[in-house]
Amino acid sequence: MDADSLHYSLELVAGSGNILNTEHRTALQTSLLILRKNYKFNRVLFWGKIMGIKEDYFIAQGRGDDELKDKKNLYSFNCMDWFLLPPATIPMIEEVSKAATGRFMGDASHVYENTILKKVGDEDEVEEELVRISAVEHRLAVTIHLIDDESSVIPRGAFIKNPHGFVQVNRCFEGLTESQAAKLDSFLHFRDPKTLKKKSLLELSELNQTIDFLDLLTDDVPKGMWSLQFENANKVLILRCLLWLGMTFYHVPMTPQHGYIYIGDGVRNLDLSFML
Amino acid sequence: MPKPRQLAPLDGEEQRLYYELLLGDRCPDPISKGAPCHPWTKEENPLPNVNEISFFLEQAGVGLGREETQRTFLALKQLVDSQELLRCRLWGKILGIESNYYIAEVEGKELDEEEEEQPDRTEEEQKDADTDDKEENAVPQSTYKPPPVVPKETVGTGANKFLYYVCKEPGLPWIKLPSVTPAQIDVSRQIRKLFTGRLEAPVKSYPPFPGNEANYLRAQIARISAGTHVSPQGFFLIMEEEDDEEGEPLQDSYDVNPDFEGIPVSEMAESLSTWVHHVQHILPQGRCTWLNLSMKPSEDIDEDEDMEEAEEEPDEPEPEVGPPLLTPLSQDAELFNTPPWTSKMSSTLTSVHAIAVLRSNLWQGGHAYASGKKFENIYVGWGVKSAGDGFSPSVPPTPLKEYVGDEEITEVPDPTPRDERELAEALVAAQEEMEGSDREDESDDDY
């Protein structure tokens, strides 16, 4: 959710039940602007809120020249003091997925430990303890990366790839029509494409290279992962991700307004196949 | 000219009350202080003050957005105007895949007896059909008696204390949800399903859910109310009624405490013992009051003496006991290593006028706030309980083993056509031999 449009966008996603306190909203308006100046971001987004047991983490994301690759995440407890998170790398993802289980605590100094008992050999009964440790910051960085990877959405045509390969905001995007917006295949994942390359050449030939360089939402598995609804007296289109409960994408048809926000507990919904 | 008499200036509190009296039918100020304020205390007008509630909920970070709340408010007014209700409350919103549910909790003036009559009629029809069959064909009756079904609680008690109306979008007609049965609560505890948004949709699950999505929704509402509806300690007091026949006092009823003075917000935000549950806990049986199902043998004495002896042998089941009404939250069990509640103040910068906010970690989306003498509960979420690390569905029972034959009954494979042919040929050959020997005997006899 772009920081400039925060005050009216929050109303549009409020149908999911979580809204921001007036105090936090005011604090965000000033602190996100300061953040943009300090870190020299092109755009600053309010990414969302991860709710921990004791405290909530407010997450902001700054975008550079390439919207897809130049992303920096920051977190804060009070919307005023922001701390930079390290970028998520593959070894970090592995470390976190083994160590960190359960909910976020809300404590910045918490360290996740997970002891795994391993048997040495088949006959010996000696058990080794392997302790995996991960810091909260790593877990936050990895969670944000995974949520962005699996559930960040943009309407088709909102971003274009310029000839240098940079992904940028499409200033000519006027919004989807209502009939286009009612179909799930007008929406794309905002991440490095994974399923696009598996399409046949015939399908690829019909795509427009400047705007269709991302994965479609309809290629997601399981099929019912997205909930598409018109809310607010049919004014706003809301997409909710069922794999990460709390991820809400909004788009007002026939206007360039769109964005997404995650307000939830930062835990993947592994039981989705049972719940559909 | 004599100076006009000067009335003593009113202080803030009196000014506000005077102003409210003046307004009459118009909506009062969004913030009104005074007597303990909850929709249940206002007997005159059952319409809740949703504007005031949404103001506090916004401070807590929960809500539906200003416009949506206003529309919900108007839809509630429509509900109150169309029905005769004692009390009405916005229970919350449950999100679904195709559409969402807005839920209102009401207490009606008339008990619904029509619903209870209808199932009896269908049972009578079935009995007539069965007797017809018996007269035509004497089919051996199976001696299997299914385990007794736990009867649902009467409307107005226990899990069925309130009626619930849902609508998909504020403005669409409100639909009444049916009462919940203990079997539905039992199964809903074992399954984990999202709502599609259509009330008549089937709920496909194992164990099979007895009902459609409307029943599942009602069962989840009952569970969420029992788990997350809390109030400041002292707001409600248990009314002591006369003892029941069994000698146990009824702990079902409670009433607003007129002497409640409010607990300071900082205390409410720090300790969980200042909050209490005011909805009865649902026992594992699926009801709020335990019912002993093995009391029925006394009715069957006339039919079969043998049956009576057999049923007296097993021990009587132990009564299920749950935490009594108005237990503080500090006694809530911790599931999956997470504390069941998160409490905080709505604002640390302006803590003088902040409110205490309570968030449930088990039912995500269940919130409560308290400020002075006011409090409210609301649920906005997906309607599923947190399952910790993962949900493991119940496994179907192991298939029954085949009957091992004993001396009386043995299983023998059917003869193949070839065997039958050989047997037939052997029989024919044996008959010819017999006829041949008979003729020889006869011929011998003749001589």
Side-chain angles (χ1 to χ4, degrees):
Chain A
M1 185 166 297
D2 211 293
D4 301 330
S5 62
L6 200 64
H7 51 278
Y8 62 81
S9 314
L10 280 174
E11 277 288 308
L12 298 171
V13 289
S16 303
N18 288 299
I19 52 179
L20 283 187
N21 207 340
T22 326
E23 192 187 301
H24 293 142
R25 235 186 288 189
T26 329
L28 276 177
Q29 279 191 347
T30 43
S31 69
L32 286 180
L33 188 64
I34 297 174
L35 210 62
R36 193 171 123 182
K37 294 280 180 192
N38 285 349
Y39 284 89
K40 299 189 178 49
F41 293 134
N42 274 0
R43 277 194 327 150
V44 166
L45 311 181
F46 177 60
W47 187 89
K49 201 164 96 162
I50 291 187
M51 304 205 275
I53 303 283
K54 290 176 206 152
E55 293 287 337
D56 302 338
Y57 301 93
F58 292 86
I59 315 283
Q61 194 174 72
R63 300 266 175 96
D65 284 328
D66 185 346
E67 294 265 339
L68 206 53
K69 295 182 182 146
D70 281 341
K71 284 187 205 166
K72 287 205 179 113
N73 297 316
L74 302 103
Y75 78 97
S76 153
F77 286 110
N78 56 0
C79 294
M80 299 293 290
D81 310 312
W82 297 90
F83 309 104
L84 189 63
L85 284 171
T89 56
I90 295 186
M92 197 193 297
I93 296 177
E94 282 181 11
E95 177 203 342
V96 164
S97 57
K98 285 175 193 166
T101 51
R103 303 275 305 272
F104 277 90
M105 273 299 136
D107 188 3
S109 53
H110 187 88
V111 171
Y112 292 96
E113 283 184 14
N114 196 8
T115 54
I116 301 173
L117 303 173
K118 246 187 175 181
K119 276 190 186 162
V120 178
D122 291 326
E123 296 172 352
D124 293 335
E125 290 181 358
V126 174
E127 291 174 348
E128 264 186 27
E129 285 186 8
L130 293 170
V131 179
R132 318 248 180 221
I133 302 177
S134 173
V136 168
E137 294 193 348
H138 286 200
R139 188 179 178 191
L140 264 181
V142 168
T143 311
I144 297 170
H145 171 84
L146 286 176
I147 294 177
D148 264 346
D149 197 54
E150 293 177 9
S151 60
S152 60
V153 183
I154 56 158
R156 183 172 173 267
F159 285 84
I160 48 171
K161 203 169 197 176
N162 75 1
H164 298 287
F166 287 170
V167 175
Q168 286 170 344
V169 175
N170 184 3
R171 305 254 170 235
C172 302
F173 178 62
E174 285 290 319
L176 299 173
T177 62
E178 294 212 355
S179 56
Q180 276 177 337
K183 295 181 212 163
L184 195 61
D185 49 12
S186 325
F187 298 98
L188 309 170
H189 270 291
F190 197 56
R191 63 160 189 227
D192 280 332
K194 291 178 195 170
T195 57
L196 194 65
K197 299 163 195 170
K198 296 179 191 169
K199 281 188 186 281
S200 65
L201 274 177
L202 203 62
E203 287 171 343
L204 284 175
S205 64
E206 292 172 14
L207 301 179
N208 183 347
Q209 285 207 359
T210 42
I211 56 176
D212 285 320
F213 55 94
L214 300 168
D215 293 330
L216 287 176
L217 283 194
T218 41
D219 292 335
D220 272 343
V221 179
K223 281 267 166 186
M225 195 173 114
W226 293 93
S227 149
L228 192 145
Q229 290 175 24
F230 276 92
E231 280 207 2
N232 231 351
N234 267 11
K235 195 179 86 168
V236 184
L237 173 87
I238 299 276
L239 267 179
R240 290 200 184 99
C241 180
L242 302 176
L243 188 63
W244 293 94
L245 287 176
M247 180 54 147
T248 315
F249 164 83
Y250 77 93
H251 174 53
V252 184
M254 300 307 282
T255 69
Q257 294 170 31
H258 66 92
Y260 60 85
I261 192 170
Y262 178 85
I263 300 187
D265 56 356
V267 174
R268 193 196 256 126
N269 182 18
L270 290 167
D271 312 324
L272 184 60
S273 351
F274 295 117
M275 289 163 81
L276 285 175
Chain B
M1 282 257 309
K3 278 187 192 170
R5 265 188 301 177
Q6 300 229 343
L7 298 169
L10 300 171
D11 66 350
E13 192 71 19
E14 288 172 315
Q15 266 186 15
R16 212 185 311 274
L17 290 170
Y18 193 52
Y19 181 51
E20 280 180 39
L21 279 173
L22 275 180
L23 283 179
D25 288 341
R26 277 190 273 163
C27 264
D29 280 332
I31 307 166
S32 58
K33 298 192 181 169
C37 198
H38 191 257
W40 296 354
T41 59
K42 291 185 184 160
E43 294 278 349
E44 312 95 35
N45 189 5
L47 183 66
N49 191 349
V50 180
N51 278 334
E52 184 181 3
I53 296 171
S54 74
F55 168 76
F56 284 118
L57 286 174
E58 193 181 318
Q59 291 197 333
V62 189
L64 299 171
R66 297 255 175 96
E67 287 177 2
E68 202 69 28
T69 323
Q70 194 59 36
R71 284 198 204 102
T72 323
F73 192 13
L74 293 171
L76 280 175
K77 180 167 189 301
Q78 208 180 38
L79 177 67
V80 164
D81 288 341
S82 65
Q83 311 256 339
E84 280 193 354
L85 301 170
L86 269 179
R87 296 165 190 152
C88 173
R89 210 189 116 234
L90 175 65
W91 186 90
K93 177 178 176 184
I94 288 193
L95 304 169
I97 300 179
E98 291 166 29
S99 77
N100 311 319
Y101 295 117
Y102 291 81
I103 298 160
E105 180 183 88
V106 307
E107 198 170 316
K109 285 185 178 169
E110 292 169 1
L111 286 177
D112 283 335
E113 292 177 358
E114 292 175 10
E115 267 186 44
E116 295 174 20
E117 283 177 15
Q118 279 172 9
D120 292 339
R121 276 183 223 151
T122 51
E123 280 175 23
E124 284 172 16
E125 286 170 12
Q126 280 177 5
K127 279 181 190 167
D128 290 334
D130 286 340
T131 46
D132 287 339
D133 282 336
K134 279 183 198 167
E135 287 166 9
E136 288 173 8
N137 306 311
V139 176
Q141 296 288 315
S142 123
T143 52
Y144 169 69
K145 279 195 181 164
V149 175
V150 183
K152 68 178 181 188
E153 293 167 294
T154 51
V155 174
T157 60
N160 283 324
K161 186 160 182 158
F162 298 107
L163 287 173
Y164 292 91
Y165 283 84
V166 292
C167 79
K168 286 191 187 170
E169 185 85 32
L172 291 178
W174 290 90
I175 303 172
K176 187 161 81 169
L177 285 180
S179 314
V180 68
T181 62
Q184 287 166 0
I185 291 191
D186 188 33
V187 175
S188 70
R189 278 175 172 155
Q190 297 173 43
I191 62 177
R192 197 151 191 252
K193 287 288 249 182
L194 288 172
F195 293 94
T196 58
R198 288 169 290 129
L199 283 175
E200 62 283 347
V203 178
K204 292 180 197 167
S205 64
Y206 185 79
F209 187 77
N212 56 9
E213 188 159 303
N215 303 102
Y216 180 49
L217 179 62
R218 180 65 182 84
Q220 291 293 84
I221 292 174
R223 287 175 68 202
I224 293 172
S225 296
T228 61
H229 276 35
V230 294
S231 58
Q233 187 170 44
F235 191 93
F236 290 116
L237 286 181
I238 293 185
M239 296 221 304
E240 292 190 359
E241 292 191 2
E242 291 174 6
D243 287 345
D244 213 8
E245 290 176 358
E246 295 172 355
E248 292 169 6
L250 272 180
Q251 281 207 339
D252 195 11
S253 55
Y254 49 93
D255 210 0
V256 180
N257 179 6
D259 302 327
F260 179 63
E261 282 183 4
I263 305 177
V265 168
S266 49
E267 268 184 43
M268 299 222 70
E270 272 176 28
S271 83
L272 286 179
S273 53
T274 47
W275 298 84
V276 295
H277 283 282
H278 62 259
V279 177
Q280 269 188 313
H281 174 80
I282 300 182
L283 299 168
Q285 197 183 39
R287 295 167 52 105
C288 291
T289 47
W290 187 76
L291 193 68
N292 191 351
L293 291 172
S294 63
M295 294 284 280
K296 294 203 176 163
S298 54
E299 297 172 6
D300 297 338
I301 287 174
D302 298 331
E303 291 180 13
D304 208 0
E305 289 181 3
D306 292 339
M307 292 284 284
E308 179 200 326
E309 286 172 5
E311 278 168 4
E312 278 177 359
E313 282 171 7
D315 296 327
E316 284 207 5
E318 289 188 13
E320 294 166 4
V321 176
L325 204 59
L326 301 190
T327 45
L329 293 190
S330 45
Q331 299 194 0
D332 270 4
E334 203 181 273
L335 281 179
F336 316 120
N337 289 330
T338 54
W341 297 93
T342 302
S343 64
K344 48 170 119 159
M345 305 257 280
S346 63
S347 150
T348 44
L349 296 174
T350 53
S351 46
V352 178
H353 295 292
I355 61 173
V357 178
L358 203 62
R359 194 172 71 201
S360 170
N361 292 326
L362 289 179
W363 292 99
Q364 282 182 15
H367 292 86
Y369 75 82
S371 161
K373 294 182 186 174
K374 293 173 197 292
F375 82 96
E376 186 56 75
N377 296 290
I378 196 167
Y379 180 86
V380 184
W382 293 91
V384 287
K385 191 169 186 177
S386 148
D389 278 338
F391 164 70
S392 28
S394 29
V395 182
T398 50
L400 298 172
K401 294 211 175 118
E402 286 210 16
Y403 180 70
V404 178
D406 57 8
E407 293 165 358
E408 293 172 2
I409 302 173
T410 45
E411 221 179 285
V412 168
D414 275 342
T416 59
R418 188 202 250 180
D419 290 340
E420 283 182 355
R421 238 184 299 136
E422 286 173 5
L423 192 64
E425 284 167 9
L427 271 177
V428 164
Q431 256 192 352
E432 283 174 0
E433 276 185 30
M434 289 275 289
E435 285 173 6
S437 65
D438 281 343
R439 273 191 234 125
E440 285 175 7
D441 288 341
E442 283 175 15
S443 61
D444 286 340
D445 282 342
D446 284 340
Y447 293 122

